[in-house]
Amino acid sequence: SNSDGGGMYNSNSTLTISNVTISSNTAINGGGMYNTGSNIKVKNTALLGNTSEKGGGIYNAAPFSNQIFTNVTISGNYASVNGGGIYNVNTYLSLYNSILLGNHTGIYVSSGQVGFEYSLIQGNSNTNNGNIDATGKTVADVFVNPQTPGLSALGNYSLKNTGIALN
């Protein structure tokens, strides 16, 4: 896309997304998904191998929208400026039982709030709320056959049987 939201653009909407893969997209902001003024629930979904300047996987923008991501994998995404996995501006974002790992960079929070529970979040060492310490962890520790961040969603992002994220 020559604009925002290479895979999906959501504006002033309320929606639920489940059981999809958003992969190999390019945009200025939000290579995989761009959300503005929207209340979104994303379940059992993968955002893989998307690229942009900001928010390779996801770009969340004002005005104060709410996003809830449950059982979501965000991996292999690339942003040339910030937020390879997620770029967040004036948005309330909650991640539950999710994996954000192996992106060019993790989560960039310009403003707003980001919370996570029972998740593995790139750059996070806090184990409160059931989270897994991501210090020193790589995608090879978690996924069967992940790929390098960029325009490639090829590979197998299933959890390893011996992986740290398997419960």
Side-chain angles (χ1 to χ4, degrees):
S1 169
N2 291 328
S3 187
D4 298 326
M8 177 180 280
Y9 182 93
N10 303 305
S11 178
N12 300 314
S13 56
T14 299
L15 68 141
T16 298
I17 301 163
S18 61
N19 302 314
V20 299
T21 298
I22 300 172
S23 63
S24 303
N25 298 288
T26 301
I28 294 171
N29 294 307
M33 179 186 296
Y34 184 95
N35 304 309
T36 181
S38 298
N39 295 313
I40 298 172
K41 293 181 181 178
V42 179
K43 301 175 184 177
N44 305 322
T45 293
L47 289 107
L48 309 169
N50 300 290
T51 64
S52 68
E53 291 178 15
K54 297 177 183 175
I58 302 164
Y59 187 103
N60 294 321
F64 294 100
S65 48
N66 292 302
Q67 268 113 67
I68 300 171
F69 288 71
T70 306
N71 299 328
V72 173
T73 297
I74 303 167
S75 187
N77 299 292
Y78 179 87
S80 61
V81 177
N82 273 324
I86 299 172
Y87 189 98
N88 205 69
V89 181
N90 287 340
T91 301
Y92 298 106
L93 171 65
S94 299
L95 296 158
Y96 301 101
N97 271 1
S98 294
I99 299 171
L100 187 141
L101 188 68
N103 300 286
H104 175 247
T105 56
I107 299 175
Y108 178 81
V109 180
S110 172
S111 57
Q113 295 178 345
V114 176
F116 31 90
E117 295 180 13
Y118 302 98
S119 295
L120 176 63
I121 306 296
Q122 183 172 334
N124 178 57
S125 61
N126 187 331
T127 57
N128 291 340
N129 300 318
N131 293 308
I132 299 170
D133 182 353
T135 304
K137 303 297 187 279
T138 68
V139 290
D141 296 325
V142 178
F143 303 115
V144 172
N145 184 27
Q147 300 298 302
T148 303
L151 273 181
S152 176
L154 300 176
N156 184 342
Y157 287 86
S158 299
L159 296 177
K160 283 185 168 181
N161 287 334
T162 58
I164 57 172
L166 193 63
N167 55 358

